Amino acid sequence: MTDEQEYHGLGDVPAPLQVPSDPEESLDEIREAALRAGLEDYDLSEADLATLAGEEEVDTEEALPVLAIIGRPNVGKSTLVNRIIGKRLAVVEDTPGVTRDRVEYRAEWAGRDFMLMDTGGWEAKVQGLDLSVAQQAEVAIDMADAVLFVVDATVGATASDEHVVRLLRASKKPVVLVANKVDGPQGELEAAALWNLGLGEPFPVSALHGRGTGDMLDAAVAALPTEMPQVEIDPDAPRRIALVGRPNVGKSSLLNQLAGENRVVVNEVAGTTRDPVDEVVGIGDRRWTLVDTAGIRRRVHQTKGADFYASLRTGAAIERAEVALVLLDASVPLTEQDTRVIGQVIESGRATVLVFNKWDLVGEDERFLLERSIEKDLVQLTWAPRVNLSARTGWHTNRLVPAIDLALGSWDQRISTGRLNSFLGELVAEHPHPVRSGKQPKILFATQASNRPPRFVIFASGFLEPTYRRFIERRLREAFGFEGSPIQISVRVREKRKRTR
């Protein structure tokens, strides 16, 4: 038998198969069985076998505890983050307020995994410093399971530090006091003065050089909870919708409009909403749980870094939701912050509906140009349903539920393995992967490992280029829909098992 006869990829002519006695068994199932048999010639891991058996679960790992690093600007928080994770990922500069965006990293110490939250990212005028530090620390403390409170030992405790200490005491969260910038015996004496804060023993460390970080991490890991609560989802509970978007795009107005009453405060000042608010509302003859997400008030003396913490709260709400309504202001051009929110939703894998609010403020002559601009700016999101409405007047809000149902239906959708492989077989036959360095990778087998969001695992004989993966995703959407749901495609390259003579 030749190697060509022995090997059967999706693009090859299948070997002759016995016609099944059961007339209801489809050709898709026959092809699936043949391709599964062909995989026996390849080295597969236990994870591969679990995927093929349909036993793989996505996001089954337990939620990790969150360790937040808080402190005044320029005390070395991001440097300490880089030290803990062992990589230079957090931006470090000798200027207060360098950190801007949501920054969370997976970290490990002494066999314990946890999420490390870098909570830098504010610029504040002197007169507003106490207020902004306390306000941002309040958000970080609320989201964390334990806190690393970083103080500059060379400066000592300031009024801002003492303000944050009061918040830490009220929260009753475990706190590890870190005296940073301690490079010698003199620094240790200065660090000892921080006992006066009443948070226990200060750990003298040098984030820049790594001095003392081991003892500090031992204390931090000991402060984290050993078991995270498991949340059981009630299948009969109302489906959860997160209203997300930058400040002042009308999230609270839309929630009030859908609820039929003023449930949350609405104000023209951007960022009126401080906390995510869960509201069960009846829309039509069905009940939904709406989560109104927003950020923190931004007054004259407050900081640009408030957007950082708005992003943290928005991210937490998205993780608890099933579908996200991304609100965009149709009366102004798309902003960088809009793009960041959309990216956050897509990365989370939630069903997505784009909602252009304040459409009534756009003139008739301007709407054509606006449509063209939207198509250009959101060319990568043509799969997401779009609804143009006015939250203030209620115009076209009746179009939301069909769009949400469409997105959730796609998010829940599963494709049978036989049908998926037949689809890919036809696709590869028409458009094979390009030959690179004299080799052409072949798709051996594919399966949908999970839904919510749909995730596909492709077994291949070689690396599939990103452009080809995007081509597969585009064709999947054309063939099976998936409107309103992100699609995740992972490729596992497997080699043939070596023969033993």
Side-chain angles (χ1 to χ4, degrees):
M1 180 182 291
T2 66
D3 288 342
E4 183 177 354
Q5 289 173 323
E6 182 184 14
Y7 175 81
H8 295 290
L10 282 176
D12 299 305
V13 178
L17 297 169
Q18 188 72 29
V19 178
S21 57
D22 183 357
E24 295 183 0
E25 186 175 2
S26 66
L27 293 177
D28 290 346
E29 292 170 336
I30 298 174
R31 188 180 187 89
E32 176 190 347
L35 293 172
R36 280 185 185 272
L39 281 177
E40 295 177 358
D41 295 333
Y42 289 80
D43 287 323
L44 302 178
S45 65
E46 291 184 4
D48 294 338
L49 297 175
T51 299
L52 294 171
E55 298 172 354
E56 183 180 76
E57 294 288 342
V58 177
D59 297 330
T60 54
E61 61 184 57
E62 292 184 3
L64 295 178
V66 176
L67 179 65
I69 298 182
I70 67 173
R72 293 185 297 106
N74 213 27
V75 295
K77 298 186 295 298
S78 294
T79 305
L80 186 58
V81 167
N82 288 335
R83 176 64 57 182
I84 293 173
I85 63 179
K87 299 177 183 177
R88 191 177 173 84
L89 296 180
V91 178
V92 176
E93 185 178 322
D94 192 21
T95 303
V98 170
T99 305
R100 281 286 190 273
D101 298 320
R102 172 185 179 173
V103 187
E104 286 186 333
Y105 306 99
R106 183 165 183 148
E108 182 270 338
W109 180 256
R112 287 288 308 280
D113 292 322
F114 57 93
M115 297 302 296
L116 189 66
M117 182 193 300
D118 181 8
T119 58
W122 68 79
E123 289 176 347
K125 297 183 179 179
V126 175
Q127 61 266 36
L129 183 61
D130 288 350
L131 175 62
S132 61
V133 170
Q135 190 177 61
Q136 296 178 53
E138 183 180 357
V139 180
I141 294 166
D142 180 55
M143 298 189 66
D145 296 294
V147 174
L148 286 180
F149 180 36
V150 184
V151 179
D152 187 340
T154 62
V155 175
T158 67
S160 297
D161 292 325
E162 292 174 357
H163 199 157
V164 174
V165 167
R166 290 194 289 272
L167 292 174
L168 289 168
R169 287 175 180 160
S171 72
K172 301 188 184 332
K173 295 285 182 72
V175 179
V176 175
L177 179 59
V178 181
N180 194 23
K181 305 185 182 179
V182 175
D183 297 313
Q186 180 61 35
E188 291 186 359
L189 291 175
E190 294 169 346
L194 297 178
W195 275 96
N196 294 333
L197 289 175
L199 293 177
E201 178 185 1
F203 286 84
V205 305
S206 172
L208 186 62
H209 302 111
R211 186 177 191 267
T213 53
D215 291 339
M216 175 205 70
L217 283 172
D218 285 340
V221 168
L224 291 172
T226 55
E227 293 185 1
M228 297 297 290
Q230 298 294 321
V231 180
E232 294 186 4
I233 299 176
D234 181 2
D236 298 323
R239 307 203 74 166
R240 301 182 61 85
I241 304 171
L243 304 179
V244 300
R246 60 183 174 82
N248 208 27
V249 293
K251 299 183 292 295
S252 297
S253 297
L254 182 58
L255 189 152
N256 288 338
Q257 183 66 237
L258 296 175
E261 59 181 305
N262 291 332
R263 298 254 187 123
V264 290
V265 177
V266 176
N267 192 290
E268 291 182 359
V269 177
T272 301
T273 305
R274 289 282 311 271
D275 302 299
V277 179
D278 289 15
E279 294 286 347
V280 177
V281 301
I283 306 175
D285 57 350
R286 296 158 63 188
R287 285 158 49 86
W288 306 81
T289 298
L290 299 183
V291 182
D292 176 29
T293 65
I296 302 168
R297 282 185 289 263
R298 290 175 61 185
R299 295 175 182 164
V300 176
H301 299 306
Q302 286 183 251
T303 72
K304 297 177 182 178
D307 294 340
F308 172 92
Y309 289 93
S311 175
L312 287 180
R313 287 195 180 278
T314 298
I318 292 172
E319 293 297 329
R320 299 200 319 272
E322 297 172 279
V323 60
L325 301 186
V326 183
L327 269 76
L328 305 165
D329 190 337
S331 63
V332 298
L334 202 70
T335 69
E336 181 182 349
Q337 195 171 356
D338 290 326
T339 305
R340 201 157 53 232
V341 171
I342 292 173
Q344 204 172 350
V345 172
I346 303 305
E347 185 180 350
S348 71
R350 297 307 184 261
T352 306
V353 176
L354 301 179
V355 180
F356 281 84
N357 189 26
K358 307 181 184 180
W359 196 263
D360 54 330
L361 301 181
V362 181
E364 291 288 344
D365 298 336
E366 301 171 351
R367 291 184 180 178
F368 173 76
L369 295 176
L370 179 59
E371 291 278 1
R372 295 287 298 273
S373 176
I374 291 171
E375 291 174 1
K376 179 181 177 181
D377 293 337
L378 301 176
V379 66
Q380 301 296 332
L381 283 175
T382 55
W383 50 265
R386 181 158 65 88
V387 178
N388 304 328
L389 53 75
S390 171
R392 182 175 59 84
T393 65
W395 179 73
H396 277 182
T397 52
N398 61 319
R399 298 185 177 183
L400 279 176
V401 171
I404 292 170
D405 282 336
L406 177 64
L408 285 173
S410 298
W411 199 58
D412 294 335
Q413 184 178 187
R414 273 190 175 275
I415 302 174
S416 70
T417 304
R419 189 180 177 196
L420 176 64
N421 283 281
S422 290
F423 160 77
L424 286 175
E426 295 173 3
L427 180 67
V428 171
E430 294 177 6
H431 303 279
H433 191 285
V435 177
R436 294 288 184 263
S437 301
K439 296 182 180 180
Q440 184 180 47
K442 293 186 177 181
I443 296 177
L444 309 173
F445 191 76
T447 183
Q448 183 174 350
S450 63
N451 56 354
R452 300 188 172 193
R455 189 171 78 90
F456 299 91
V457 177
I458 296 177
F459 294 87
S461 63
F463 176 75
L464 300 186
E465 295 181 353
T467 52
Y468 198 73
R469 297 189 197 192
R470 288 193 293 271
F471 169 68
I472 292 174
E473 178 184 344
R474 188 169 66 251
R475 285 302 186 90
L476 274 171
R477 292 189 182 281
E478 292 174 1
F480 302 105
F482 292 113
E483 295 93 342
S485 175
I487 293 177
Q488 299 174 355
I489 298 177
S490 61
V491 177
R492 299 183 186 178
V493 178
R494 296 295 179 260
E495 297 180 353
K496 267 194 173 183
R497 188 178 297 111
K498 294 181 180 180
R499 296 180 181 177
T500 56
R501 297 185 181 275

